[in-house]
Amino acid sequence: QTATKPLSVVLIPADGGTESGTIADYQPVFNAITRSTGVRFDLKVAQSYGAVVEAMCGGRADVAFMGPVTYLQAQKRGCAKLLAVGVENGQSVYYAGFFARKEAPFKSVKDLRGKRVAFGDVNSASSFVFPMAMVIEAGLDPVRDLGEIRMAGSHVNSLAALVQGRVDAAALSFDSYEKAVRQGAVDPKKFKVIAKSSPIPYPPIAVNSRMAPKLQAKLRAAFADIAHAPGMTPEMIRGYGGKRIDGYDVKFPASKFNVAASRMALVDDDLKSRILTKSASR
Amino acid sequence: MDAPAISFRNIGKRYPDGTRALDDVSLDVPRGQFCVLLGPSGAGKSTLLRMANRLAEPTEGRVLIEGRDLTLRTVKPIRRRIGMIHQSFNLVGRLSVASNIMTGALPALGPTRVLTGLFPETLKTKACMLAASVGLGPPHMSRRADSLSGGQQQRVGIARAFMLDPAIVLADEPVASLDPRISTDILGLIRDQARVRGATVLCSLHQIELARAFADRIVALRHGRLVFDGTPADLDRSAIRAIYGEAGPVPIASGGLAA
Amino acid sequence: MDAPAISFRNIGKRYPDGTRALDDVSLDVPRGQFCVLLGPSGAGKSTLLRMANRLAEPTEGRVLIEGRDLTLRTVKPIRRRIGMIHQSFNLVGRLSVASNIMTGALPALGPTRVLTGLFPETLKTKACMLAASVGLGPPHMSRRADSLSGGQQQRVGIARAFMLDPAIVLADEPVASLDPRISTDILGLIRDQARVRGATVLCSLHQIELARAFADRIVALRHGRLVFDGTPADLDRSAIRAIYGEAGPVPIASGGLAA
Amino acid sequence: MNSTAAWHYPSPFGTRTVAIVIAALALLWITGQRVEIGRMISMTGEAALAAVGLIPESEVADGFSAVAGKLFPLQISTSTEVSRIENFDPANLPLFAHIETVETTTQALNPDTLEMEPRAERTTVLVEPVGYLVHVAAKMLETLEIALWGTVIAILIGFPLALGAARNITHSPALRGLAGAAISLLRSIPEMISALFLVIAYGFGPIAGILALAFYGAGYLGKVYGEDMEGLDPRPQEALAAGGATMLAQLRWAVLPQAMPRFIAAALYVLDRNMRMATVIGIVGAGGIGQELKGRYDMYDYGHVGTILVVIFLVVFLLDRAAAHLRRAAL
Amino acid sequence: MNSTAAWHYPSPFGTRTVAIVIAALALLWITGQRVEIGRMISMTGEAALAAVGLIPESEVADGFSAVAGKLFPLQISTSTEVSRIENFDPANLPLFAHIETVETTTQALNPDTLEMEPRAERTTVLVEPVGYLVHVAAKMLETLEIALWGTVIAILIGFPLALGAARNITHSPALRGLAGAAISLLRSIPEMISALFLVIAYGFGPIAGILALAFYGAGYLGKVYGEDMEGLDPRPQEALAAGGATMLAQLRWAVLPQAMPRFIAAALYVLDRNMRMATVIGIVGAGGIGQELKGRYDMYDYGHVGTILVVIFLVVFLLDRAAAHLRRAAL
Ligand SMILES: Nc1ncnc2c1ncn2[C@@H]1O[C@H](COP(=O)(O)OP(=O)(O)OP(=O)(O)O)[C@@H](O)[C@H]1O
Ligand SMILES: Nc1ncnc2c1ncn2[C@@H]1O[C@H](COP(=O)(O)OP(=O)(O)OP(=O)(O)O)[C@@H](O)[C@H]1O
Ligand SMILES: [Mg+2]
Ligand SMILES: [Mg+2]
């Protein structure tokens, strides 16, 4: 890549966000990096995890902000390398969980046996992979033991199904739930968290593994020093979900994503296709 | 009951594109009269006929049918008393001949029959008899109207107009596409119908001979104005010249009759 | 060059729905002849005419134009030499009169002119002259064809047929919707054209008088079979009865001529 | 004439018609049970009764009012934290904008206690009173541009295909079959799917969206234009053919003049359909208002969703009027 | 006759036409630059050149072949680990099925070392040679049922609206305006969005999908049926009106017989469009093949995606043939 052709950056709003909102979150960061390195960027937003993996592997995207599961899929195919992960209060994790109505008698994931449960997108760490792993770790076979599986497509639809009483429990990220409460879409007094997932690594920023190592190093340095880049204010440093973060960790060990990988290994392709089949039956 | 069947009062018509089709035409057609309308092509014959049932609206003057003003409110009941034969037949090409004839009876039928197409036997018989009287036999009845020859289509249109025994018949060149034999048969049929039932006929024609043979009265338009009004006997060579212009109809003038 | 202009050899036609329109018709029309086709409505006149340029395909027999067999391969060049006047006019209603007349010249124009509608001046002049000769003036030229009266539309169709100076003219009731004056003008025009250019005319008509006045030769169909072939002088009362059936044309029989 | 023969009035429908009608009803009955049409009717009925107050509540009515109610009030302003605006210059505000200081209390879920906890924040925001409307309008314009080009390309591909598939233009059955298959192929791939593939081929951006819309639109126009041309009054074309005019001449002077009003209507339909479809395929990264809509929905900003829906309605409505106008002028 | 006057041949186009054409071209030029049409053409051109081997490679061609190539070979069999099948009875296998033992090496994460380790596994699987095809066919049937009912309801709502909006049926401009607005409203809400709301109101299952399809379809049919009725030859209807026939009679005996082929074509178009749309709205939980398609895409199972696309194409193609047949019979 020469300096004349901007690097193509693809952003996925991890649990929902608008095109302009997501760009507004990241534009200042990338602008700062342009100022410090001279590398220019062309930011695009996509909402399909699969399309971004294919874009990375097809060389159509140079940099991507993607969900942890997506990152791992791309990495497994040898297309992506970790660049940086946002840090907030020294941590780079978020949580997902199962939500239910306050009066529901569920106390743990085990109690979901025979119940109707909604999940989000099949490639989403927080609304599918981690919650599904929780079900398996609780000793249940998702297909055999859950009453009904609803693949609602997104965090919002998963929660909406719960709110409307179409399911007994819904899997989504805490972040998305907070947004719903803030926007008055749900009344927090009526719902509770049944179980919390293990910490999920932040959605990372990854580079195409075909990118020249020198350029990768240049970007890595720039991200590490983002807080001191010219023209940056602390408020402009944003990360997952548009939240304010302290900075980017470029030394984040890729092995920390193994937690996610282990969860992914639990939810293998065979299981996924059985879940798909079950969710489609009625 | 002495109001004329059709009464045009100072009718004028200018089409939206500026064409002036009629100009101050006044004409009373008494009940029971067989009145033939002559005039060169484009003289305004079709336009005048179409005003008698408000298919065309006059831009000046007014029309009275049996003494009643023809307005938006009265048009429905008045139209039921009028049968019209259209110059371009206006059949529903995709329907059968039988259905096309039957559409003439629709105004007399209730919504159920209209929707289901289950017509009373009497009307079916009538449709068949009318078809026969214009020379269309049973094999034609279930054929599609658009597979008929020009003259056959015109005859379907004529049968349709008589389904409800109209008190007034408006006929726009009813025999233009017909051979002389059927032409006379059909004009005879229309005249007989009218005589028997006391119906009024206003009929545009191009054939002067037929007009002379059938009309009680002949009127003629030229350039949208009434230029002749008289009995068949009054229609002499100079009158014809006044209607059609200088040369007069050539077949007569150039010795067509002598052949 | 002594092959007849049009030659029908043992033509038969059965429509897909089973209607038998023509039955073993053989007819040679020599070059330069003005041949009139008579026959009652539904006799098969239109069908026969439409076979001369293969708009209808014979189910039996074959058609030769100027000695050449009319096949799928030869039809294009042959059609260019033929001008046709259609019984139902077949104008493009949404186009202007000028454009409709001009469509008659399209076969002679290259694709660029066809696409852009930029026609050569000579053709424009010709279109205007033809319009004038059928009695349509400049104010009609830019009007939409579907806003014309029936007779005016028929005249546009006639002008269109002459745009390319056809060697053969097929005319299907060209004057059905026209008044007697214009009828004779137009048949005169067709005859003159034919005489001057040595063109052949095959023309179906319903008016026996006009047939007598203009034809070099008269042929007649009845129920799809040729029942008469002779000069106008041969067309006597008994011939007419053979063509149209028992009663014969009434206007003549009932003293129409005497009026 | 023969009066017994005259009695022959054809019967309005044959046993074949009756059999077909019965078969169709049976099919509807069986499939209707499988897709729970009965439940749909009873639920809708309940909602209707609840709406007029005859019964106290209905699931459907509740569900509707729960969501639909939240669409209002529409959101038309924007407020942006000034600290997030690069090179913010308080002396040089955008038109109509002003600065406010707001104190907000937000709720956050504490991962340890699993309880919601309030947190107070004080921020300076730039308020633009019609900022969101302007933003939506800009996105809408982009959507319209995508839809417009999707339509233009659809016509460029679809019209030749239609010519190939129309019985009265193309006489060779082989060619017609080929064109028909191409049309079916273009129409059989859901835009959503072709957009996903096109994004991979052309990269993220409007091109993939335009092509996805254009491919499907080409299939639609190929089909509709073809059928329109076949359904015309054949006589004017026949008159031209009778004179020996080429197919091109027949097309230009008999087919097109007659078909134009329908062609225009179909193209405008594709345009407005593209506009709405852009809201779906925009999601894969093809620009336009789609992501805005999906994103706002995912962020529970129902007021924003309401604004977008109203704007889409207005644009569709105006397009409809314009289309009706054009059609009538061409009629 | 007067030969100077005869020289008056109207000019083919006026300055107004020329001005409109120039304005349209300018619009296309400007918007074309905004949506990168130039880039689209050059990329597509490159791909075409690459395809015929004139240039070594093109991004687009690579991207296409990367994805499209993966659609093949189509996946038509299923294999299920027998250990995951409840009450598996090896003596009583499904039709055509057989049992295989496969040895696979998978990479698994060792929870202790947190390293990926290869692990050989030996599993017994039940192979159904056309199992996936059967599954897709069953889903397709369900999709067709949803599409069918979406179409039936669309006709039931759309036809009355079309009557209300058609100039030659409804004479009152107020009523026409009302019907027109309802049609615009129905057409302006993207199915995706109305499906989201309807799922909340009616619950998961086909009802929400059917209604979402039906609402939009009703808008489409309202528009198209209305325009079709307005575009008919007015003379047969005029003939009936001239005799004093009611509007109902005119509709049943002049309008419908003429419009039927178009009506059938439009309804069949809605049917096949619904079928494809079901692949999009199915995603929100409305049944049909949509979730299967989206899910397989998200799982990178392109062989499965290929199978689904081929099945959709076949169904669209067959529907097309059936539609053409019906239309021709009605013509
Ligand atoms: N497309 C068609 N399908 C079936 N039958 C047809 C078709 N066209 C014409 N016919 C039938 O063929 C016969 C001859 O028709 P044709 O149009 O040639 O008659 P014609 O002599 O021109 O009559 P007219 O003087 O009434 O125009 C008629 O009985 C007619 O009904
Ligand atoms: N819809 C219309 N718009 C504009 N002008 C029209 C329309 N209909 C008829 N005209 C014009 O009005 C004049 C009278 O037409 P009309 O149809 O009444 O003539 P006509 O006497 O019936 O002629 P023909 O014997 O040829 O049928 C003609 O010049 C015609 O061109
Ligand atoms: Mg007239
Ligand atoms: Mg004929």
Side-chain angles (χ1 to χ4, degrees), chain E residues 224-307:
Chain E
V224 168
Y225 281 6
E227 288 179 355
D228 280 351
M229 289 192 278
E230 283 184 358
L232 296 176
D233 179 358
R235 292 175 303 177
Q237 196 192 346
E238 192 185 84
L240 263 66
T246 57
M247 192 45 86
L248 182 75
Q250 291 172 39
L251 193 65
R252 167 71 177 79
W253 293 95
V255 175
L256 282 191
Q258 286 190 83
M260 214 25 113
R262 285 172 190 286
F263 279 11
I264 290 175
L268 285 167
Y269 167 70
V270 168
L271 179 67
D272 96 49
R273 181 192 147 285
N274 279 352
M275 215 198 59
R276 278 167 305 93
M277 260 334 261
T279 57
V280 178
I281 61 149
I283 294 169
V284 302
I289 208 166
Q291 281 209 341
E292 182 72 27
L293 179 54
K294 170 81 161 48
R296 291 298 176 179
Y297 180 88
D298 283 344
M299 288 162 61
Y300 312 97
D301 288 339
Y302 295 117
H304 294 76
V305 171
T307 306

Side-chain angles (χ1 to χ4, degrees), chain D residues 27-37 39-40 43-44 47 59-61 63-64 66-68 71 138 141-142 145-146 148-149 152-153 165 167 176-177 180-181 183-193 196-198 200-207 210-211 215-216 220 223-224 226-228 230-232 235 262 265-266 268-269 272-273 276-277 279-280 283 293-294 297 302 305 309 312-314 316-317 320-321 323-324 327-328 331, chain E residues 27-37 39-40 43-44 47 59-61 63-64 66-68 71 138 141-142 145-146 148-149 152-153 165 167 176-177 180-181 183-193 196-198 200-207 210-211 215-216 220 223-224 226-228 230-232 235 262 265-266 268-269 272-273 276-277 279-280 283 293-294 297 302 305 309 312-314 316-317 320-321 323-324 327-328 331:
Chain D
L27 180 73
L28 283 184
W29 177 252
I30 294 167
T31 58
Q33 300 214 290
R34 284 174 45 115
V35 298
E36 310 179 359
I37 291 298
R39 196 161 75 86
M40 185 189 88
M43 286 176 84
T44 311
E59 269 184 77
V60 174
F64 263 123
V67 188
L71 298 178
L141 184 68
E142 205 179 298
E145 286 169 348
I146 291 174
L148 176 70
W149 272 96
V152 168
I153 299 173
R167 211 160 259 271
R176 274 212 309 276
I183 289 171
S184 293
L185 184 63
L186 285 171
R187 288 169 53 242
S188 66
I189 304 176
E191 290 96 333
M192 194 67 180
I193 303 300
L196 283 172
F197 288 152
L198 286 164
I200 293 163
Y202 285 88
F204 294 92
I207 296 181
I210 289 176
L211 284 180
F215 285 161
Y216 176 77
Y220 175 79
K223 185 172 154 72
V224 169
E227 288 179 356
D228 280 351
E230 283 183 358
L232 295 177
R235 291 175 303 177
R262 287 174 188 285
L268 284 166
Y269 166 71
D272 97 48
R273 181 191 147 286
R276 278 167 306 92
M277 263 330 264
T279 58
V280 178
I283 292 169
L293 181 55
K294 166 90 160 40
Y297 183 86
Y302 294 118
V305 172
L309 289 181
I312 294 180
F313 169 71
L314 286 180
V316 167
F317 191 79
D320 253 21
R321 294 302 97 168
R327 255 188 78 245
R328 213 143 279 147
L331 219 61
Chain E
L27 180 73
L28 284 183
W29 178 252
I30 295 167
T31 58
Q33 300 215 291
R34 283 175 45 116
V35 297
E36 310 180 353
I37 292 297
R39 196 160 74 86
M40 185 189 90
M43 286 176 84
T44 310
E59 278 184 60
V60 174
F64 262 124
V67 188
L71 297 178
L141 183 68
E142 205 181 297
E145 287 170 347
I146 292 175
L148 176 70
W149 272 95
V152 169
I153 299 173
R167 212 159 260 271
R176 274 212 309 275
I183 289 171
S184 293
L185 185 62
L186 284 170
R187 289 171 50 245
S188 67
I189 304 175
E191 289 96 334
M192 196 67 181
I193 304 299
L196 282 174
F197 289 159
L198 287 163
I200 292 169
Y202 284 89
F204 294 98
I207 298 181
I210 289 175
L211 284 179
F215 286 160
Y216 177 77
Y220 175 77
K223 186 172 155 70
V224 168
E227 288 179 355
D228 280 351
E230 283 184 358
L232 296 176
R235 292 175 303 177
R262 285 172 190 286
L268 285 167
Y269 167 70
D272 96 49
R273 181 192 147 285
R276 278 167 305 93
M277 260 334 261
T279 57
V280 178
I283 294 169
L293 179 54
K294 170 81 161 48
Y297 180 88
Y302 295 117
V305 171
L309 289 182
I312 296 180
F313 169 70
L314 285 180
V316 167
F317 190 78
D320 254 23
R321 294 301 97 168
R327 257 187 75 243
R328 213 143 280 147
L331 218 63

